[in-house]
């Protein structure tokens, strides 16, 4: 006891000057109890007083007529159980009674203002079966309200137990025998204690010479002797762990159900024993000074939390979070525990950090508070340069203390070993950031501790994730040239792109990289090839293309699937997705796309693939225009390879080699152009309106690279015949030009005859002798009557190198043909003039002379004509009854007349359609004939002067449209 440190973790409340209220001082205090925020005091005059917080008097009442020996305030229900002496009714009955008061039910006493609780049950303790003896201890257990279990200890070594509902008088009694010692001083029950553990109910019983345990759940209760030593009155209590505690002069003993437990050697007579929030309370009589000392023991931390010299104590209670000592002079002492912060401040001032740590851990403080104490302890050790112990404290704060606080300290102290230890613990608990990973790996590499690096990198459990940031670890390992470790992390984390980055950029192991890509899932392999394909194509083009073919065509599955399944093809990567990796290696791209198109005929991306292939095939130097290094037909790449600083003699020696290279290059270009022309034709089948490539792009490529054959095919396929002959004109290929016009200018085969007119215009403006070609052209122009002779003369007159002999025969034939046509027209005019003159005479005769109708029969019914009759100017006669209602038209001539009117009306309607008229004029070989036809039909006539108003309506309306 004297070796334990003493601290002032408790302080006196209410200024240390409190006492029992005057209202209670009338009698001697016999017993006390606490609970439900009240302190209950029983006196020898039979009164019971209740005190509020601060020992303020609340009320009192008369519970027994003589004295109150024992009382207990229940916790679950606001009941008060008292044991005291009342008036003796008869000599045979004992005056000792047990009463139960309901403190929630108050009733007035007669006319006075005083009130008393309702007494719900009165019970005589001693009966014939349970003879009277002195009561030495009393304890009540609330089993399940209203069921109570009351244990009454006697001076004869017996325990009377009463169980049941006293208010309803439903009780059972039984007796427990502890000792059979004749000497009452050694057999008195000095203390009782209930232990409830689940369904098990046990009762501790203490006498001066023994400690016993009764198992109450057995019937009858089974007794077990735990020890052959005991204690005196007031030296028995129960801990919050359901342990029995007894105090003897030499020590304090703890008992559990299986016997004696720990023993604490505190010397001195134990006058009072108690338990408060894990603290052991003792009032010890010091034999040397003759004074009593009140000690509060912290058994876990082996310290005295409070020590105070006190006067003679009569009772000890715990209520309101305080310890209450009642002295024999009715003065009181209230002691309360200080807050944790005050206790820690006290310890920090004395540098008692280990005590502070034990204190916060024993009182189950929150982790943040514990970490703060550990931090201060670590700071203290760090200031003493005890770095290893300081780091041990800092490691215990992980999760609550900011890591940078610790890292900064040990970086400044250059304690790299301690820092490494701290960072390892951070990673083990999964609280490390990217910067912490970087720092730890740098520590390993600076220490060149490959073994620890291996443990950190490779000793991860396969089930969980990495305890560090993967990218950071890889970056640091690469920077420190620990490539194998970086690759291990990348592979285990599934970071394929980082794994390949190390293989390709740092180690240059291209074969291994390709094997790794082949082992990946297709989707992952596709992503990695897109990122690192440029490097792979540069060093391993053939194997890279093989991987691409597997990705885009799934060779392993091709036998199981139909290659024509567009749905399946759309699920595979498209070759277009990988074009960017071939940016500096067009030959490899051409090889890849050719293999793909040979294998897959109906790819969803065939339009883009054909466009790219055309660009490669038609390019002069097999390069993309965007990155072409050629200028003015000179390949700077070849220049760079041959070396610009070589002497002239060396240049002359290398000239044959350069010629061979040029020859090979030209041969390659011609082969590619042949492939390009085949692609242009094969990708535009006759059954498709549009080709499987971009026509505009194909034309541009052919133009840029002067690919005449491709242009001619595209223009002819698109029916752009004028552009076709323009190509021949541009190259001055006269034989090809005429042959092309023969093919494309035949209207019988869907050609365009106007091509001959363009061809004639070309030769007319050529400026050189081309008599043979002109004669061939005139043959076809004359055959199909494409141009009038005057136009032919005007066109050919522009070429000064042509003579009249070229067109002499053509003009002669045309003049003879025109003369025949003129003669035929003259005869037709004369005939029409005669017919017109005859018609005019007939009209004049009708207007001036009378007509004699001599028909004797009706035209309709062929019967003899009688009156009334109707005669028409067309020389038809009818009975009036045969005409019906229509007497103004001849039934025989009306249909013909109506058809003429309908034709005229249609012509007048057509005269308003200007677009149709001009379209006919434009599309006709001889526009004048169309205009003449319109005049001949009367659609276009001279418009009458509007002021006369005599013009015909039909003529005016028909001409108003033009």
């Amino acid at each position: 006891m004297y070796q334990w440190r003493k601290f002032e973790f408790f302080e006196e409340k209410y200024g240390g000057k409190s006492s029992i209220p005057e209202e209670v001082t009338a009698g001697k205090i016999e017993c006390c109890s606490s609970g439900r925020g009240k302190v209950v005091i029983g006196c020898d005059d039979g009164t019971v007083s209740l005190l509020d917080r601060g020992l303020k008097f609340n009320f009192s009442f008369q519970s027994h007529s003589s004295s109150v020996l024992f009382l207990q305030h229940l916790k679950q229900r606001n009941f008060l159980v008292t044991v005291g002496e009342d008036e003796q009714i008869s000599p045979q009955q004992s005056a000792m009674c047990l009463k139960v008061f309901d403190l929630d039910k108050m009733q007035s006493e007669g006319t006075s203002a005083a009130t008393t609780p309702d007494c719900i049950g009165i019970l005589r303790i001693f009966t014939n079966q349970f003879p009277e003896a002195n009561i030495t201890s009393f304890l009540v257990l609330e089993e399940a309200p209203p069921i109570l279990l009351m244990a009454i200890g006697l001076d004869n070594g017996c325990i009377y137990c009463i169980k049941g509902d006293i208010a309803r008088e439903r009780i059972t009694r039984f007796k427990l025998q502890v000792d059979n010692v004749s000497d009452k001083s050694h057999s008195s029950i000095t203390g009782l204690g209930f232990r409830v553990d689940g369904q098990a109910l046990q009762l501790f019983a203490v006498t001066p010479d023994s400690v016993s345990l009764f198992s109450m759940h057995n019937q009858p209760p089974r007794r077990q002797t735990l020890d052959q030593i005991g204690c005196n009155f007031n030296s028995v209590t129960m801990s919050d762990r359901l342990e029995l505690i007894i105090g003897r002069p030499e020590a304090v003993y703890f008992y559990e159900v299986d016997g004696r437990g720990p023993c604490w050697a505190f010397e001195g007579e134990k006058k009072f024993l108690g338990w408060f929030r894990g603290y052991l309370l003792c009032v010890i009589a010091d034999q040397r000074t003759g004074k009593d000392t009140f000690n509060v023991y912290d058994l876990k931390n082996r310290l005295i939390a409070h020590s105070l010299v006190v006067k003679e104590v009569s009772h000890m209670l715990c209520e309101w979070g305080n310890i209450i000592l009642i002295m024999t002079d009715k003065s009181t002492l209230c002691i309360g525990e200080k807050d944790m912060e005050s206790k820690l401040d006290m310890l920090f001032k004395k540098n008692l950090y280990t005590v502070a740590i034990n204190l916060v851990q024993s009182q189950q403080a929150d982790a943040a508070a514990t970490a703060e104490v550990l931090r201060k302890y670590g700071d203290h050790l760090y200031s003493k340069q005890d770095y290893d112990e300081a780091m041990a404290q800092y490691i215990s704060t992980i999760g609550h203390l900011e890591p940078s606080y610790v890292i900064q300290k040990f970086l400044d102290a250059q304690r790299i070993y301690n820092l490494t230890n701290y960072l390892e613990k951070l990673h083990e608990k999964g609280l490390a950031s990217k910067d912490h990973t970087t720092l730890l790996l740098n520590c390993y590499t600076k220490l060149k501790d490959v073994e620890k690096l291996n443990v950190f990198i490779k000793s991860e459990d396969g089930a969980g994730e990495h305890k560090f940031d993967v990218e950071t670890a890889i970056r640091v390992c690469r920077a420190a040239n620990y490539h194998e470790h970086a690759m291990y992390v990348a592979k285990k984390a599934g970071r394929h792109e980082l794994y390949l980055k190390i293989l390709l950029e740092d180690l240059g192991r291209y074969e291994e990289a390709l094997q790794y890509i082949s082992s990946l899932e297709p989707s992952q392999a596709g992503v990695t090839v897109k990122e690192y394909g440029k490097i792979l194509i540069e060093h391993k083009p053939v194997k890279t293309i093989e991987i691409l073919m597997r990705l885009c065509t799934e060779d392993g599955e091709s036998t199981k699937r139909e290659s024509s399944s567009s749905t399946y093809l759309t699920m595979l990567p498209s070759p277009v997705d990988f074009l960017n990796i071939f940016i500096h290696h067009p030959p490899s791209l051409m090889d890849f796309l050719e293999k793909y198109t040979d294998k897959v005929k109906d790819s969803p991306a065939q339009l883009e693939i054909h466009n790219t292939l055309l660009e490669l095939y038609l390019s002069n130097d097999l390069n993309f225009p965007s990155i072409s290094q050629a200028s003015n037909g000179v390949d700077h790449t070849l220049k760079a390879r041959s070396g610009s600083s070589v002497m002239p003699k060396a240049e002359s020696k290398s000239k044959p080699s350069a010629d061979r290279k040029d020859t090979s290059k030209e041969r390659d270009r011609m082969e590619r152009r042949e492939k390009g022309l085949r692609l242009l034709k094969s990708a535009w089948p006759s059954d498709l309106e549009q080709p499987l490539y971009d026509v505009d792009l194909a034309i541009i490529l052919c133009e840029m690279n002067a690919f005449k054959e491709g242009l001619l095919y595209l223009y002819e396929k698109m029916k752009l015949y004028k552009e076709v002959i323009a190509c021949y004109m541009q190259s001055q290929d006269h034989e090809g030009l005429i042959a092309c016009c023969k093919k494309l200018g035949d209207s019988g085969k869907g050609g365009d005859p106007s091509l001959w007119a363009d061809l004639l215009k070309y030769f007319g403006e050529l400026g050189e002798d081309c008599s043979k070609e002109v004669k061939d052209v005139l043959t076809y122009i004359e055959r199909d009557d494409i141009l009038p002779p005057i136009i032919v003369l005007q066109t050919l007159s522009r070429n000064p190198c042509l003579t009249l002999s070229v067109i002499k025969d053509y003009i002669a034939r045309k003049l003879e043909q025109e003369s025949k046509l003129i003669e035929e027209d003259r005869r037709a005019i004369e005939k029409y003039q005669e017919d017109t003159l005859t018609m005019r005479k007939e009209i004049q005769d009708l207007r001036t002379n009378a007509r004699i109708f001599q028909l004797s029969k009706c035209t309709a019914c062929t019967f003899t004509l009688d009156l009334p009759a109707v005669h028409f100017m067309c020389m038809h006669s009818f009975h009036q009854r045969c005409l019906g209602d229509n007497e103004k038209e001849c039934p025989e001539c009306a249909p013909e007349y109506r058809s003429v009117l309908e034709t005229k009306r249609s012509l007048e309607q057509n005269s308003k359609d200007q677009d149709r008229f001009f379209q006919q004029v434009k599309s006709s070989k001889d526009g004048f004939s169309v205009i003449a036809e319109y005049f001949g039909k009367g659609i276009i006539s001279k418009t009458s002067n509007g002021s006369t108003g005599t013009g015909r309506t039909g003529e005016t309306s028909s001409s108003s449209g033009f």
Side-chain angles (χ1 to χ4, degrees), residues 558-763:
S558 60
T559 57
K560 302 176 184 179
R561 302 177 185 266
E562 296 181 2
S563 61
S564 61
S565 174
S566 59
T567 305
Y568 170 64
L569 288 174
T570 55
M571 297 169 60
L572 296 174
S574 171
V576 180
D577 299 336
F578 303 100
L579 294 183
N580 64 310
I581 70 175
F582 295 94
I583 193 69
H584 298 296
H585 303 278
S588 299
L589 175 60
M590 186 172 69
D591 183 26
F592 169 53
L593 294 180
E594 285 177 345
K595 290 181 178 179
Y596 181 81
T597 52
D598 290 343
K599 192 171 187 63
V600 181
K601 300 300 183 182
D602 53 353
S603 169
Q606 58 185 345
L607 182 67
E608 293 84 354
I609 294 172
H610 289 160
N611 289 341
T612 307
L613 276 174
L614 283 176
E615 187 173 359
L616 293 167
Y617 287 152
L618 303 183
S619 175
N620 287 322
D621 53 357
L622 190 55
N623 219 327
F624 294 110
S626 58
I627 61 168
S628 176
Q629 298 176 347
S631 177
N632 297 325
V634 180
D635 194 339
H636 296 294
T637 307
L638 294 177
K639 273 189 177 183
R641 290 178 180 174
S642 62
S644 59
S645 61
V646 182
M647 297 295 290
K649 290 182 179 180
E651 290 181 0
S652 64
K653 289 181 181 179
S654 62
K655 190 172 182 180
S657 176
D659 291 340
R660 284 195 298 271
K661 288 183 180 179
D662 291 342
T663 303
S664 174
K665 184 176 180 182
E666 181 63 24
R667 190 184 309 113
D668 176 66
R669 188 171 70 88
M670 296 306 296
E671 289 177 357
R672 285 189 286 106
R673 293 208 167 191
E674 290 177 3
K675 291 180 181 179
L677 185 59
R678 284 199 299 270
L679 178 60
L680 287 174
K681 293 179 179 179
S682 62
W684 198 341
S686 57
D687 57 338
L688 292 180
E689 184 178 350
Q690 291 295 328
L692 301 176
Y693 51 81
D694 189 338
V695 179
D696 296 333
L697 176 63
I699 292 174
I700 291 172
L701 291 173
C702 293
E703 287 279 4
M704 288 175 57
N705 298 284
F707 185 40
K708 178 181 175 183
E709 292 83 355
L711 275 176
L712 292 175
Y713 173 77
L714 291 172
Y715 286 150
E716 183 177 343
K717 194 73 175 176
M718 297 169 67
K719 297 187 176 357
L720 299 175
Y721 301 140
K722 294 185 182 297
E723 280 75 6
V724 175
I725 64 172
C727 291
Y728 285 103
M729 292 176 182
Q730 188 175 3
S731 61
Q732 296 185 353
D733 183 2
H734 295 169
E735 292 183 3
L737 187 59
I738 293 175
C740 177
C741 284
K742 289 179 181 178
K743 177 182 177 183
L744 303 179
D746 189 353
S747 59
K749 297 180 180 180
D752 184 6
S754 65
L755 295 179
W756 293 107
D758 296 335
L759 189 56
L760 186 68
K761 182 180 179 182
Y762 166 74
F763 286 124

Side-chain angles (χ1 to χ4, degrees), residues 142-156:
E142 302 175 74
E143 283 193 350
I147 304 300
L148 302 178
L149 175 58
M150 289 164 285
I152 303 170
L154 305 176
D155 62 353
N156 58 6

Side-chain angles (χ1 to χ4, degrees), residues 798-828:
R798 298 170 187 168
N799 191 343
C801 298
L802 294 177
T803 59
L804 189 60
S805 61
V806 177
I807 59 172
K808 178 179 178 182
D809 295 339
Y810 167 75
I811 293 298
R813 287 191 298 274
K814 276 295 181 181
L815 287 175
E816 182 181 358
Q817 183 180 357
E818 292 293 334
S819 298
K820 291 180 180 179
L821 291 175
I822 292 171
E823 184 64 28
E824 290 176 359
D825 290 341
R826 183 176 293 113
R827 286 195 294 268

Side-chain angles (χ1 to χ4, degrees), residues 100-210:
V100 179
F101 296 92
D102 187 350
L103 298 181
D104 289 334
K105 296 179 180 180
M106 308 297 288
Q107 60 184 4
S108 301
E109 292 185 350
T111 57
S112 65
T115 57
T116 182
D118 187 9
C119 182
I120 62 174
I122 301 176
L123 187 66
R124 295 288 176 178
I125 295 177
F126 301 112
T127 63
N128 295 330
Q129 291 80 11
F130 298 91
E132 183 174 359
N134 292 329
I135 299 175
T136 56
S137 58
F138 175 73
L139 189 61
V140 180
L141 174 67
E142 302 175 74
E143 283 193 350
I147 304 300
L148 302 178
L149 175 58
M150 289 164 285
I152 303 170
L154 305 176
D155 62 353
N156 58 6
C158 292
I159 301 174
Y160 289 170
C161 294
I162 302 172
K163 182 177 181 180
D165 185 357
I166 298 178
R168 298 183 180 181
E169 298 183 355
R170 296 177 180 176
I171 61 173
T172 59
R173 298 171 183 256
F174 56 91
K175 180 173 67 173
L176 303 176
Q177 185 67 44
V178 179
D179 289 326
N180 294 319
V181 183
S182 59
D183 188 358
K184 289 188 176 182
S185 63
H186 294 283
S187 62
S188 298
I189 305 298
T190 57
L192 297 170
F194 281 112
R195 174 187 173 95
V196 180
D197 187 7
Q199 297 297 324
L201 173 61
Q202 295 163 317
L203 174 65
F204 287 103
V206 182
T207 67
D209 295 328
S210 67

Side-chain angles (χ1 to χ4, degrees), residues 43 117 264 295 529 650 677 702 857 893:
C43 298
W264 302 91
N295 289 334
V529 170
L677 185 59
C702 293
K857 291 184 179 181
C893 300

